[in-house]
Amino acid sequence: MRKRILALVDGNNFYVSCERVFNPRLEGQPVVVLSNNDGCAIARSQEAKALGIAMGQPWFQIRHMERKYGLTAFSSNYALYADMSNRMMSILSQFAPAQEVYSIDECFLDLTGLNVDLTAHGHALRDRVKQWIGIPTCVGIGHSKTQAKLANHIAKKRPEWNGVCDLSSLPESTVNELMASIDVGEVWGVGQKLTERLNALGIQTVLDLKRADPKVIQRRFSVVLERTVWELRGIACLRLEDVSPPRQQIISSRSFGRPVTELNELKEAVTAYMSRAAEKLRRQGSIAQALHVHIRTSPFREDRPYYGKGLTIPLITPTDDTRKLVKAALKGLEAIYQPGHDYQKAGVVLMDIQPKDSGQITDMITALEDDKATRVMQMMDAINARMGKTTIRLAGEGVEKAWAMRRGRVSAVSSTRIDDVAEVCAR
DNA sequence: TCTGGGGTCCTAGGACCC
DNA sequence: TCTGGGGTCCTAGGACCC
């Protein structure tokens, strides 16, 4: 059987690169993008990494670097990043017969059977993305997803590769040398806990893991890690998922901009979060038969007792109706709410998700009601799609939204909103 | 003062059944 | 006094990823 050839392409410091496209003065400067609520750094430029800023580091710990080192920070602007991502994925799709969009900033490409110089092909797609949308990328190529991931890591960390590393064209001995020089913790699927356990067994490098006995790994760890061993050896165990399966659960949860104590405000937040989750549910043509609602105080405050609780609620009949889902979620919220706490976060999860048109047997009255509800929801979604999110929403979401998150440093959505384009041009 | 959000998969263990 | 064992289903929690 012919070996597969897979590439992993990803945007370097993707969110930061998106901001730089519309603000070229940030080139060469330390830049971070902050999480929701401007809580912590979730993307860092090379210069920011060089300052020692860690992934996920709280903003309050690094904000002094603004003055000291000229650090620039942005609130996350997901509308912008999603739009840039779509453009990037669309360009990359031209370079391979099959593509799996793996996350907002990376995709796998199936290059099997392509009669080209793979390294040259990698440089060509990299140049195209840079030229057309201004995003720098790196390309890793190998015989499996895990190899492609590893190759991408090499392309990113070692400048001598010029952003493209093709393990599939290298002699086995060279690949092994590279693998011997990389910690096992860099392997896709090996996190902190597994690294510790592997190290305890004397498995320190990627090569050590590649050479481990798959059966022993399966017995002492899991079938997942056994698969990783085969993948490192160039035997592809993971398929390219070019059609994205519908979500099995849909989460909507957020920290508040300030502590919330009143049940009424929590109700507003849960109503808003469930509304967003239900929109996603309908967009993928599904219904949910259970939901989960949770609230908690800040786990970082040592001066107050922690309180967190969640409740899963089964629904008698599965639905995609925002009103029914909100009603159930609020009932759950009332059951877990305790007065006297400073709540910091709330969230909802839609679960037991099924396709809507699965041909379930219902009685005629239920069918008529469902039909009416479907039309109401369709109309709501259509209006919101045209006029902007939350143009029409449930009254329970509230108007003031004093609990809403802080986003003090958000950039303009330069690629999609015409008002913002004007703003960028006026700079 | 200030610490993200959204996912997947696997495993262990309990409940239940025969 | 003796007090099974194996299979299946479900759930909670762990680990990982970006």
Side-chain angles (χ1 to χ4, degrees):
Chain A
M1 195 182 84
R2 186 173 54 188
K3 281 201 167 186
R4 305 206 69 76
I5 303 285
L6 297 170
L8 181 82
V9 187
D10 79 337
N12 303 346
N13 318 321
F14 186 68
Y15 296 170
V16 166
S17 296
C18 289
E19 298 291 349
R20 277 178 169 167
V21 169
F22 298 97
N23 206 335
R25 276 174 305 182
L26 299 172
E27 218 58 61
Q29 303 294 315
V31 180
V32 294
V33 173
L34 303 174
S35 64
N36 282 333
N37 259 326
D38 297 344
C40 55
I42 53 170
R44 306 154 294 154
S45 71
Q46 279 310 316
E47 299 78 11
K49 288 174 192 171
L51 287 178
I53 298 173
M55 180 69 176
Q57 192 163 4
W59 171 232
F60 72 89
Q61 289 176 3
I62 54 174
R63 67 180 310 163
H64 66 277
M65 295 183 182
E66 276 186 296
R67 306 190 70 165
K68 202 166 172 188
Y69 300 112
L71 174 67
T72 304
F74 290 96
S75 302
S76 37
N77 183 346
Y78 288 106
L80 173 65
Y81 311 147
D83 183 64
M84 295 297 284
S85 172
N86 289 336
R87 289 165 200 251
M88 180 171 89
M89 297 307 171
S90 149
I91 294 168
L92 291 173
S93 71
Q94 318 264 307
F95 285 83
Q99 176 188 42
E100 173 187 338
V101 176
Y102 179 68
S103 77
I104 191 163
D105 73 331
E106 65 190 288
C107 70
F108 289 101
L109 298 174
D110 192 346
L111 306 179
T112 311
L114 238 53
N115 195 14
V116 293
D117 178 318
L118 291 170
T119 300
H121 197 63
H123 281 293
L125 66 85
R126 196 167 174 256
D127 293 346
R128 177 84 60 88
V129 172
K130 178 71 177 142
Q131 196 176 354
W132 285 16
I133 60 167
I135 299 283
T137 55
C138 281
V139 184
I141 301 170
H143 288 302
S144 64
K145 284 183 166 181
T146 306
Q147 278 196 357
K149 275 278 198 182
L150 187 71
N152 181 274
H153 170 83
I154 294 166
K156 203 175 306 172
K157 297 286 174 181
R158 307 191 181 183
E160 63 269 26
W161 290 86
N162 285 319
V164 180
C165 172
D166 173 20
L167 292 179
S168 77
S169 68
L170 298 175
E172 174 100 21
S173 56
T174 313
V175 173
N176 286 347
E177 276 170 37
L178 282 166
M179 287 182 168
S181 71
I182 301 172
D183 287 341
V184 71
E186 301 294 343
V187 172
W188 190 39
V190 178
Q192 196 183 322
K193 300 279 179 188
L194 282 176
T195 302
E196 285 167 21
R197 288 173 58 197
L198 286 166
N199 286 350
L201 292 178
I203 297 173
Q204 309 279 346
T205 70
V206 181
L207 184 63
D208 293 338
L209 183 59
K210 177 190 177 183
R211 289 184 167 162
D213 181 341
K215 281 299 146 214
V216 171
I217 293 292
Q218 193 259 311
R219 205 176 63 239
R220 302 190 72 136
F221 295 88
S222 68
V223 293
V224 180
L225 196 60
E226 181 197 5
R227 215 154 48 200
T228 300
V229 174
W230 289 115
E231 289 248 324
L232 284 175
R233 297 179 179 194
I235 314 289
C237 304
L238 301 168
R239 297 212 330 255
L240 193 86
E241 313 266 356
D242 47 357
V243 283
S244 55
R247 296 264 165 265
Q248 297 175 37
Q249 58 177 33
I250 294 172
I251 300 178
S252 177
S253 82
R254 236 160 231 87
S255 302
F256 303 127
R258 59 156 174 76
V260 166
T261 55
E262 299 303 315
L263 178 59
N264 270 341
E265 286 195 308
L266 285 176
K267 282 182 169 178
E268 283 187 12
V270 165
T271 302
Y273 299 167
M274 182 54 85
S275 299
R276 300 297 87 74
E279 282 163 14
K280 281 194 195 171
L281 183 70
R282 293 194 292 273
R283 210 174 307 142
Q284 72 167 29
S286 302
I287 47 181
Q289 191 151 21
L291 60 85
H292 182 88
V293 54
H294 55 93
I295 49 176
R296 67 163 168 79
T297 60
S298 170
F300 298 103
R301 292 195 55 159
E302 285 163 5
D303 54 332
R304 286 168 182 272
Y306 174 79
Y307 176 75
K309 206 166 172 62
L311 188 64
T312 300
I313 301 163
L315 301 167
I316 311 290
T317 49
T319 184
D320 65 357
D321 187 328
T322 299
R323 298 165 296 182
K324 287 184 189 157
L325 293 166
V326 164
K327 200 172 159 190
L330 291 181
K331 213 167 151 188
L333 172 63
E334 282 175 27
I336 57 178
Y337 172 77
Q338 277 189 5
H341 294 293
D342 278 351
Y343 291 97
Q344 186 245 353
K345 184 175 182 176
V348 299
V349 187
L350 292 174
M351 307 184 316
D352 285 3
I353 289 176
Q354 317 149 19
K356 183 170 173 124
D357 52 7
S358 59
Q360 300 208 359
I361 299 158
T362 48
D363 62 87
M364 205 194 301
I365 306 274
T366 314
L368 281 172
E369 277 176 4
D370 282 356
D371 191 43
K372 200 169 136 197
T374 296
R375 283 194 316 244
V376 172
M377 288 300 120
Q378 277 172 351
M379 193 171 296
M380 197 161 109
D381 291 338
I383 290 171
N384 286 341
R386 262 189 66 188
M387 312 291 285
K389 287 178 184 175
T390 70
T391 301
I392 294 195
R393 56 180 187 265
L394 299 192
E397 275 193 45
V399 180
E400 303 252 326
K401 296 190 180 172
W403 41 268
M405 66 182 181
R406 296 183 302 268
R407 280 170 97 213
R409 305 159 163 270
V410 69
S411 61
V413 190
S414 313
S415 61
T416 50
R417 284 183 48 192
I418 194 69
D419 294 351
D420 291 344
V421 173
E423 184 193 312
V424 169
C425 293
R427 275 184 201 154

